[in-house]
Amino acid sequence: MTEDEATIINYALTDIGAGPMFSIDDDSELAEQIQYVWQPVVDRTFGMHYWSFARKTFRNERLAATPENGFSYGFTLPPGRIGNPLKYSADPRCRSPIRDFTLEAGQLYCDHPDTWSLCRVYVSPTVWPPEWRAAFITALGAYLAVPVWQDRQMRDDMLVEAFGTTSRDGTGGVFGRLMAQDAASQPVGDPQTWDDPLSNARFNSARDHWAGRYAE
């Protein structure tokens, strides 16, 4: 754990009324419980959406052996990613999504000799947007309420504030608003659809002659 992460924990502890009591050098039982809480909150918050500040494009490493599953090439997927990549592409700008592929044993197989993956990754608190950091502190505070105060009502109230009610399946609250804002800040249209003729009809200009591209 880094000093930056410890600072976020102390923000959350202060938010629930315990004060900045955590240190990365603390070996107390409570400090150990607090550290165990950190990773589940990271997993939940980073895994719930492809946050634009936590994406990264990787070039996939091609396997030397010829695949036995019928595809021409196999690739290892980037280590350290969170979940499966958002998309696989035949170009580094991820503008040409690969549609014919398979995933087997954590590896990518397709007929393209070079591939890239757009992945969700963990990034340091130093680059978290302020509004996202505030939401994370609320979520972390909810997870800390029981080990620190044995207060389940505080936990439940803060979970609703962070993620919304159970009827929203964890997509409401402040994180739900941030997901909507993050999605709205992206280019019009999903890049995964830009090579689809119907999407091109809507999003591309007439100068692209989109219909002719698919007339062959």
Side-chain angles (χ1 to χ4, degrees):
M1 178 164 288
T2 68
E3 289 287 354
D4 293 323
E5 292 168 347
T7 298
I8 296 295
I9 289 174
N10 279 319
Y11 284 152
L13 288 168
T14 301
D15 197 37
I16 64 173
M21 55 187 288
F22 179 77
S23 168
I24 58 176
D25 300 321
D26 188 351
D27 59 359
S28 68
E29 182 179 347
L30 179 58
E32 185 177 6
Q33 292 183 51
I34 291 172
Q35 291 197 58
Y36 283 143
V37 164
W38 173 266
Q39 193 59 47
V41 183
V42 167
D43 292 343
R44 180 171 185 178
T45 53
F46 275 82
M48 66 191 303
H49 178 70
Y50 278 92
W51 304 105
S52 55
F53 70 91
R55 299 179 192 172
K56 186 175 181 180
T57 299
F58 296 88
R59 183 168 188 162
N60 301 319
E61 183 177 350
R62 190 165 60 202
L63 301 172
T66 301
E68 298 180 359
N69 57 11
F71 285 96
S72 302
Y73 305 98
F75 301 86
T76 59
L77 294 178
R81 70 189 186 283
I82 300 174
N84 284 333
L86 171 61
K87 61 182 171 180
Y88 311 96
S89 177
D91 71 272
R93 293 182 64 183
C94 286
R95 299 305 192 196
S96 301
I98 297 171
R99 303 182 187 281
D100 185 15
F101 68 89
T102 188
L103 295 178
E104 296 181 5
Q107 295 174 333
L108 168 69
Y109 295 91
C110 65
D111 292 324
H112 296 270
D114 298 293
T115 65
W116 287 259
S117 295
L118 178 60
C119 300
R120 182 169 37 198
V121 297
Y122 175 73
V123 293
S124 165
T126 58
V127 298
W128 295 359
E131 66 277 10
W132 198 93
R133 181 174 62 239
F136 183 90
I137 289 169
T138 299
L140 183 59
Y143 277 71
L144 290 172
V146 172
V148 174
W149 296 124
Q150 292 74 52
D151 192 332
R152 296 182 181 275
Q153 187 60 54
M154 177 187 288
R155 177 199 63 188
D156 294 344
D157 290 344
M158 294 184 74
L159 285 175
V160 170
E161 182 182 354
F163 303 110
T165 60
T166 54
S167 64
R168 297 296 303 274
D169 293 325
T171 62
V174 289
F175 273 106
R177 291 191 292 274
L178 290 176
M179 284 192 289
Q181 293 170 9
D182 192 59
S185 70
Q186 302 307 303
V188 176
D190 184 347
Q192 284 187 293
T193 69
W194 287 355
D195 277 350
D196 173 76
L198 294 179
S199 300
N200 273 283
R202 180 178 180 184
F203 295 118
N204 287 357
S205 69
R207 291 178 298 174
D208 288 336
H209 302 294
W210 68 270
R213 293 169 56 194
Y214 298 90
E216 297 178 358

